Amino acid sequence: MQTYGNSAVTYGWWAGNSGVTNRSGKFIAAHAAHTGLIAFWAGAFTLFELARFDPSIPMGHQPLIALPHLATLGIGFDETGTFVGGSAVVAVAVCHLVGSMAYGAGGLMHSLLFSSDMQESSVPQARKFKLEWDNPDNQTFILGHHLIFFGVACIWFVEWARIHGVYDPAIGAIRQVEYDLNLSHIWDHQFDFLTIDSLEDVMGGHAFLAFLEITGGAFHIATKQVGEYTKFKGAGLLSAEAILSWSLAGIGWMAVVAAFWSATNTTVYPVEWFGEPLALKFGISPYWVDTVDLGSAHTSRAWLANVHYYFGFFFIQGHLWHALRAMGFDFKRVTSALSNLDTASVSLK
């Protein structure tokens, strides 16, 4: 964290990142606690939506987010949007609630009982996950484990579609989907993913991504920094704030892409569950509006696309803020310059 030359700087309670900057144990505690909050939201909101769901109204025309995603996975609803199984939906919700308690307990344990810095841990394996922000070998080792977990998640999704099946709007039913690992199609869909209309291509992309992420993860875990650590590779820029800025850039870009995709694609986001495709409008900033009149209500698709877009927008602003700070820009100079505008003068000679 940038201290602007003050070695004894303190941060307010709201600057939560400052508390974990050089303490990997606290960093893991924050990760676990955040995961617990997300899992709790998913479980609680699924039950909340289930209590309010009205089968007589199209699902996409109701303010729902969790239930449409479950329906897309073929859980709890038939192809007409009729609720057919409370036990399946409730089971998913309860699993998330139980998981949230486990994650919350893990966050508390890492925060209160375990070492605040993994370097001080008595477990040799744990010490490998110490945080050395300016050490590329340490960072690539941790990155590798993240990539493997992402790859495993992709495999789960592909196998769920292959064994259980997912909803296919083209036939209006749940069916098993075999992935199509066609590298030519996968490459082409980088540029036309908004119009993908084949679930086989969707699963093929995830299968390829799983291979890429697991292979990349194994490479990052097994190898050290390749070649000389130059400025081109980030020498002098690696820091807690720099890595935070790159993380914000990645999640911000994914949120913007997800907004455009969910607004227009009806294969992955079926009309039956999310409502009709949206129209893009421009005001102070881009936004999506419903193409059907629901009075004061909005489709699930409208909520999903707009929330993703604006979160993505602010994530990218956060990226710029933290990236500039990581590069040494002093934002206090901005406020100082603005406060001196009245007394500022320009001398022409």
Side-chain angles (χ1 to χ4, degrees), residues 167-302:
Y167 180 75
D168 186 354
I171 62 174
I174 298 165
R175 70 175 180 89
Q176 295 173 318
V177 179
E178 290 286 346
Y179 61 87
D180 179 16
L181 199 56
N182 186 316
L183 297 183
S184 175
H185 287 177
I186 292 170
W187 174 261
D188 291 339
H189 284 320
Q190 291 184 94
F191 311 101
D192 65 356
F193 66 92
L194 295 179
T195 59
I196 290 177
D197 58 3
S198 166
L199 289 176
E200 281 75 13
D201 285 350
V202 172
M203 296 307 160
H206 281 82
F208 175 73
L209 196 58
F211 168 78
L212 203 63
E213 288 174 332
I214 292 175
T215 303
F219 172 80
H220 280 287
I221 291 171
T223 61
K224 298 291 187 180
Q225 171 68 33
V226 178
E228 184 183 354
Y229 184 44
T230 64
K231 286 186 176 181
F232 177 76
K233 294 182 179 180
L237 285 179
L238 275 180
S239 67
E241 197 137 40
I243 292 171
L244 171 62
S245 76
W246 299 329
S247 299
L248 287 168
I251 195 171
W253 174 241
M254 286 189 287
V256 171
V257 169
F260 278 91
W261 201 12
S262 63
T264 59
N265 189 278
T266 57
T267 299
V268 179
Y269 300 91
V271 172
E272 296 89 332
W273 314 137
F274 294 92
E276 291 74 8
L278 308 176
L280 181 62
K281 300 288 186 181
F282 288 91
I284 297 175
S285 65
Y287 64 98
W288 283 269
V289 297
D290 284 315
T291 54
V292 292
D293 184 10
L294 300 178
S296 59
H298 298 283
T299 63
S300 297
R301 194 184 299 272

